[in-house]
């Protein structure tokens, strides 16, 4: 059905003349913290929840480019993914809505000709699920049709130059186009999915794989890692695969397969009871899932074992919902020996953050 045959109308976002509208996504239960970070970045930032997921519409008093510049300059910890909203489509029955989305995409003023374009369509969870029975895959098909027929674009699922994002909330479909690097994550909604492989020791490994992507860390460039709180060994096995020598510390058992690995040393100890000569490692990772201040004290005590330009990566458990205060206290403990370079709540983080530190003194 051609969109002209439908009575569904599409609206242009944003309403504010100098502002911009976005769909933001955070880990479940952390949308409010993302909203408070946005309020610190912009004089005016309004958020409206669209899904318990945590997906929300946010509107700021800065145009798209300026909003993006500010967000990239000081990336919010809890904003996992963002997509611009160029157009909205009211959700009526499924056929009519798909036709309207197709029409809206056809009209987008975007430089897509001959470009590789991915469609990332998502929908709100119950109870805010779309009024009509609309599946993201049907939306993707409709958008792909418009991309090929009207824009002469090349639909792809990865290695894209542009993304068309469609978020289906209860009453409204939010449509926007962007470069993938401007969405904070190239994954749809920032939901990072790695394939579990035979021999994977723990899902914790995905956290380190995601940190590699999110922070742009080339783990293969390091030589010798200290892994604190290492059991059962997902992080250790990942670092060994990257060719590093790994010293793992944990009172708990490591996976038996690790003991056969070349370059692997295991100390069945509490990390408070070990010492190493200076500059023994160029990478320290810690995933202790423990009281954050005690974790920080423990890591700080071991920092002299890390070379001056070495990298330190820790998870920080969030206690009692005081995320920002906890992070500040952890920073206070670690300074001045280590400087916090980046913090992110990754998709694979539960009630925790991942922090990248630089060894300083
Ligand atoms: C979340 S698990 C780590 C998972 C690991 N990163 C992996 O990839 O398999 C946390 C570990 O920290 C260890 N841990 C807690 N306190 C510790 C301490 N003081 N010293 C060493 N390890 C500790 C626990 O025994 C537990 O095995």
């Amino acid at each position: 059905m051609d969109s002209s045959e439908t009575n569904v109308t599409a609206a242009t976002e944003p309403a504010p003349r100098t502002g911009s509208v976005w769909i933001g996504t955070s880990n479940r239960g952390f949308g409010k913290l993302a909203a408070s970070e946005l309020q610190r970045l912009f004089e005016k930032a309004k958020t409206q929840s669209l899904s318990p997921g945590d997906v929300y519409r946010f509107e700021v008093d800065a145009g798209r480019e300026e909003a993006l510049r500010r967000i990239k300059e000081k990336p919010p910890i809890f904003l996992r993914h963002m997509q611009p909203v160029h157009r909205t489509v009211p959700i009526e029955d499924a056929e009519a809505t798909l036709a309207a989305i197709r029409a809206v995409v056809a009209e987008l003023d975007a430089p897509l000709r001959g470009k590789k374009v991915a469609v990332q369509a998502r929908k709100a969870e119950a109870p805010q699920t779309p009024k009509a029975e609309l599946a993201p895959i049907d939306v993707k098909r409709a958008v792909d049709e418009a991309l090929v027929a009207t824009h002469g674009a090349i639909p792809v699922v990865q290695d894209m130059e542009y993304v068309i994002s469609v978020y289906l909330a209860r009453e409204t479909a939010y449509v926007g186009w962007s470069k993938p690097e401007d969405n904070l994550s190239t994954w749809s909604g920032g939901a990072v999915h790695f394939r579990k492989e035979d021999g994977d020791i723990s899902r914790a490994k995905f956290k380190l794989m995601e940190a590699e992507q999110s922070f742009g860390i080339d783990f293969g460039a390091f030589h010798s890692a200290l892994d604190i709180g290492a059991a059962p060994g997902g992080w250790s096995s990942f670092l060994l695969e990257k060719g590093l020598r790994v010293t793992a510390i944990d009172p708990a058992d490591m996976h038996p397969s690790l003991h056969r690995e070349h370059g692997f040393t295991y100390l069945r100890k509490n990390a408070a009871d070990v010492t190493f000569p200076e500059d023994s490692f160029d990478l320290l990772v810690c995933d202790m899932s423990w009281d954050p201040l005690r974790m920080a004290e423990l890591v700080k005590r071991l920092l002299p074992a890390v070379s001056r330009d070495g990298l330190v990566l820790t998870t920080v458990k969030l206690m009692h919902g005081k995320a920002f205060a906890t992070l500040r206290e952890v920073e206070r403990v670690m300074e001045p020996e280590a400087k916090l370079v980046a913090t992110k709540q990754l998709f694979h983080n539960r009630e925790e953050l991942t922090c990248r530190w630089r060894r300083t003194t």
Side-chain angles (χ1 to χ4, degrees), residues 233-266:
W235 287 28
S236 285
S237 69
F238 176 75
L239 295 172
L240 287 163
E241 279 164 26
K242 294 272 170 189
L244 280 77
R245 291 188 302 280
V246 176
T247 300
I249 306 174
D250 202 305
D253 284 340
M254 299 298 291
H255 192 273
S257 64
L258 286 166
H259 301 295
R260 297 192 294 270
E261 294 287 339
H262 178 72
F264 180 67
T265 307
Y266 166 46

Side-chain angles (χ1 to χ4, degrees), residues 201-202 204-205 207 227-236 249-252 269-272 287-290 298:
I201 291 172
S202 73
K205 176 181 177 183
K207 263 193 280 189
D227 185 0
I228 305 174
W235 287 28
S236 285
I249 306 174
D250 202 305
K269 287 190 178 220
N270 184 320
D287 182 30
M288 257 171 40
S289 184
W290 202 34
L298 219 145

Side-chain angles (χ1 to χ4, degrees), residues 67-86:
L68 203 52
R69 193 191 61 74
R70 281 196 229 171
I71 287 173
K72 281 186 164 180
E73 196 174 84
K74 208 167 179 306
I77 297 169
F78 295 99
L79 181 62
R80 191 175 83 199
H81 180 271
M82 61 193 272
Q83 67 178 68
V85 177
H86 289 85

Side-chain angles (χ1 to χ4, degrees), residues 119-136:
V119 180
Q120 297 187 341
R122 304 179 282 151
K123 72 176 194 180
E125 287 176 24
Q128 279 125 324
T129 195
K131 275 197 304 184
E133 272 297 318
L134 270 176

Side-chain angles (χ1 to χ4, degrees), residues 101-112:
I101 291 174
R102 205 181 296 127
V104 152
V105 170
E107 285 163 18
L108 284 179
D109 183 17
L112 306 177

Side-chain angles (χ1 to χ4, degrees), residues 59-249:
E59 186 178 326
V60 295
D61 59 338
R64 288 191 197 103
E65 272 181 34
E66 172 60 11
L68 203 52
R69 193 191 61 74
R70 281 196 229 171
I71 287 173
K72 281 186 164 180
E73 196 174 84
K74 208 167 179 306
I77 297 169
F78 295 99
L79 181 62
R80 191 175 83 199
H81 180 271
M82 61 193 272
Q83 67 178 68
V85 177
H86 289 85
R87 304 289 295 268
T88 60
V89 173
I91 293 182
E92 305 293 342
D93 71 82
E95 274 300 303
T97 308
L98 287 175
I101 291 174
R102 205 181 296 127
V104 152
V105 170
E107 285 163 18
L108 284 179
D109 183 17
L112 306 177
R113 184 152 300 279
K115 301 288 184 200
K116 290 189 271 178
V117 184
V119 180
Q120 297 187 341
R122 304 179 282 151
K123 72 176 194 180
E125 287 176 24
Q128 279 125 324
T129 195
K131 275 197 304 184
E133 272 297 318
L134 270 176
I137 184 68
D138 296 330
V139 172
K140 177 182 158 34
R141 281 197 200 108
V143 175
D144 276 347
E145 277 172 29
L147 283 173
V148 174
T150 319
H151 290 281
I154 307 158
V156 295
V157 285
Q158 55 191 27
D159 298 330
M160 58 281 209
E161 293 165 278
Y162 289 93
V163 182
I164 303 281
S165 304
V166 182
Y167 185 73
L168 303 167
R170 182 168 164 68
E171 308 273 343
T172 309
Y174 296 89
V175 182
W177 63 272
S178 49
K179 292 191 173 166
E181 61 270 24
D182 291 344
N183 290 5
L184 299 183
S185 168
T186 56
W187 297 79
S188 181
V192 181
H193 291 294
F194 296 118
R195 194 149 21 99
K196 183 144 173 35
E197 302 198 349
D198 292 345
D200 275 354
I201 291 172
S202 73
R203 292 186 64 82
K205 176 181 177 183
F206 294 156
K207 263 193 280 189
L208 203 55
M209 289 168 70
E210 193 183 345
E212 180 185 39
Q213 281 191 359
S214 181
F215 294 141
I217 300 171
D218 177 10
F219 284 110
F222 296 91
H223 299 97
S224 181
L226 177 60
D227 185 0
I228 305 174
W235 287 28
S236 285
S237 69
F238 176 75
L239 295 172
L240 287 163
E241 279 164 26
K242 294 272 170 189
L244 280 77
R245 291 188 302 280
V246 176
T247 300
I249 306 174

